[in-house]
Amino acid sequence: MNAARKLISSHLVSGEMKAGAEIAISIDQTLTQDATGTMAYLEFEAMGIPKVRTKLSVSYVDHNTLQTGFENADDHRFLRTMAAKYGIYFSKPGNGICHQVHLERFTKPGQTLLGSDSHTPNAGALGMLAIGAGGLNVALAMAGEPFYMVMPRVARVTLKKKCRKGIAAKDIILEVLRLMTVKGGVGKIIEYAGEGLKNLTVPERATITNMGAELGATSSLFPSDEQTKAFLKAQKRGKDWIELKPDPGAEYDEEIVIDLSRLEPLAAAPSSPDNVKRVRDIEGTPVGQVCIGSCVNSSYADLMLAARILRGHKVHPEVSLSISPGSRQALRMITENGALTDIVSAGARVLECSCGPCIGMGQSPATDTVSLRTFNRNFPGRSGTANDQVFLCSPLTAAVSAITGKITDPRDVIKGSLSFTLPERFVIDDSMILPPSPRPSKVIIERGPNIKPFPVKGALEEFLRAKVVLKMGDNITTDDIMPAGAKILPLRSNIPAISEYVFSKVDPAFPSRAKASGGGVLLGGMNYGQGSSREHAALAPMYLGIKVVFAKSFARIHKDNLINFGILPLTISPEVYDSIDQDAEIELPSLAKEVRESSEIRFVEVKTGRTHRSEHGLTDRQREIILAGGLLNYVRSKKV
Ligand code: MIC
Ligand code: SF4
């Protein structure tokens, strides 16, 4: 068995481990972050369970940390009291980004983790089966329910030899993205193997597993080996180590081989993480902003690399450089060893330990300027600036370019070796991680006026007549559907208010059109709903009356979120996609009956009278969820 199958088999609750079949696995740990967490905890609360039933659940505050009104602070207080009451650890705002802190303090090889954030597979760096999901799925896992998913195929990425000077882990995952594209990982776990592993430290591995989310992969995984042991020991968690490796001769569904010694510095050009170019081919492009941080590249190791490069230099006069450390541990360590002085002396703007610019919480770039970021996503407008030009690269490329003012190949600047070894002991201070209350019955949940109950849909319609309210192209992201940023994110606990921003970057009139036509259906291309796990991208359209999404194909997490909130995802052929226009009226004459009895759903275009076919591809369980009008209704009917 390969390592991924070992982890699945040791947690298998039901189903057959055959690629494509539905399986259920038990979940040991959960994590939530504030932007998805408030909904997840409202959903958990609605289940009426007194205490989480996982081995460990942690609630982080890292996204909505910019407090420009009462909303975010209210949410933080709600999350703190919920955690105290229900047996959950609470990581306070300022303690760091969920994935970085979880890696440092909680990730355990051999266990499973379900997180309400798409980059949860970051923890795969430590030999954990870590999966991103919608908040409702995480709420159910906290209630002790297994997690249902399609049994993934396992792809092996074999890393040969060793990276040369100036090449970083980010270049490895950008190479995988170049080879596989943003759709290439759908339905797969990416398992890393090969001699190249022995030189890759856990933080470097985390850069790679983190950005597996951009491949659309279910998860990414490294074996648990000597590097893992060393990292855990340095975090004073040596006893959490167990070995996890594939059996000799283990089988994989597909394989990619990468010769690390031939890698070049790479960057993802605007506006997709798979639009990968050699830095050599874009060097000289003037840069207005450089941002170092985000969960993919904000570890102590990343900050040290940036600090080594910046030491004794000044940031270019026309560049704004910002650094957001991934955790308070990383920040404290660079403070104590003086690296922060190098960063500050160079002229960097030091931000708090949070997601920050990665989710448009400040630092939006100036009009028509290039922003070079060490982040994982450069979807259009995600930075907060319309028509932005965001390039994604390694901390090495970012730091050298901040000095030169233009995209620069780090190999031309870095003299001598930058390598340093990870410390034998990280600074350990968990005082910003609050344990659950010893007297939960005494804890009162504090809810501000921004926290509104979540909407619930009724059972699936037997007959539907609806308008195609929006037709879209391929690779529509959940950032397109439900944008984030400093203005909209504070409304994550208030579905009626946030629904006014659905598709606001693509078509600002969408919410009013949807409401005027009494809801309707959506039409998307390939890989519809890639990116973030935000269930708001399903909940808010559901609130506006969207009943069905037709698309050529769907991204995994978003498809699950649509089903969870009773919106039917239907797959159509490219020909059918081409023949239907926006504003077309359609009828689904026997909707619920066909969902119940068949895998094919017919629909009629009212104007032409033409009948088309679509497939729902739902498992029996998903079929029942859709018929019930969503997962909460289904769970209630089953009295889980
Ligand atoms: C993101 O990177 O897009 C986010 C913000 O972390 C999301 C979660 C969210 O939308 O709250 C994710 O990756 O799932
Ligand atoms: Fe936060 Fe960005 Fe990571 Fe999402 S990708 S968790 S917004 S740092």
Side-chain angles (χ1 to χ4, degrees), residues 427-443:
V427 173
I428 315 271
D429 170 9
D430 291 334
S431 58
M432 281 179 81
I433 302 175
L434 310 182
S437 167
R439 280 180 300 282
S441 60
K442 296 267 178 301
V443 179

Side-chain angles (χ1 to χ4, degrees), residues 46 66 70 80 96 125 144 156 271 324 329 332 364 367 393 510 563 580-581:
L66 207 62
F70 64 93
R80 178 171 48 72
R156 174 164 65 183
S271 289
S324 23
Q329 179 185 76
R332 245 187 88 171
S364 301
T367 311
C393 66
F510 178 85
I563 297 169
I580 300 171
D581 295 325

Side-chain angles (χ1 to χ4, degrees), residues 380-397:
R382 181 175 158 100
S383 67
T385 299
N387 305 316
D388 56 7
Q389 297 170 53
V390 177
F391 288 72
L392 310 172
C393 66
S394 76
L396 298 177
T397 304

Side-chain angles (χ1 to χ4, degrees), residues 13 32 58 131 153 169 175 211 262 266 298 399 433 480 621 629:
V13 174
T32 55
V58 190
I131 301 175
R153 293 155 55 82
E175 173 68 1
M211 229 176 146
R262 298 172 68 110
L266 298 171
S298 58
I433 302 175
D480 295 321
R621 184 175 164 275

Side-chain angles (χ1 to χ4, degrees), residues 338-416:
L340 185 60
T341 308
D342 295 330
I343 293 174
V344 172
S345 307
R349 302 165 67 177
V350 182
L351 308 179
E352 72 173 322
C353 305
S354 70
C355 301
C358 179
I359 192 58
M361 274 285 176
Q363 308 301 116
S364 301
T367 311
D368 295 333
T369 56
V370 164
S371 175
L372 191 61
R373 301 176 162 209
T374 66
F375 303 174
N376 43 27
R377 289 186 173 145
N378 58 348
F379 301 146
R382 181 175 158 100
S383 67
T385 299
N387 305 316
D388 56 7
Q389 297 170 53
V390 177
F391 288 72
L392 310 172
C393 66
S394 76
L396 298 177
T397 304
V400 296
S401 305
I403 299 167
T404 59
K406 50 189 194 235
I407 295 183
T408 303
D409 190 321
R411 295 171 298 181
D412 297 342
V413 176
I414 297 171
K415 306 266 179 297

Side-chain angles (χ1 to χ4, degrees), residues 173-195:
I173 186 62
L174 286 172
E175 173 68 1
V176 181
L177 268 152
R178 190 183 69 80
L179 295 169
M180 289 181 83
T181 81
V182 291
K183 309 188 265 297
V186 177
K188 296 175 195 167
I189 293 181
I190 316 292
E191 185 174 317
Y192 289 86
E195 52 174 322

Side-chain angles (χ1 to χ4, degrees), residues 33 35-36 63 117-119 359 377 382 492 532-534:
Q33 41 88 341
T36 54
H63 283 64
D117 192 280
S118 64
H119 291 103
I359 192 58
R377 289 186 173 145
R382 181 175 158 100
R492 283 286 182 94
S532 149
S533 69
R534 61 193 70 154

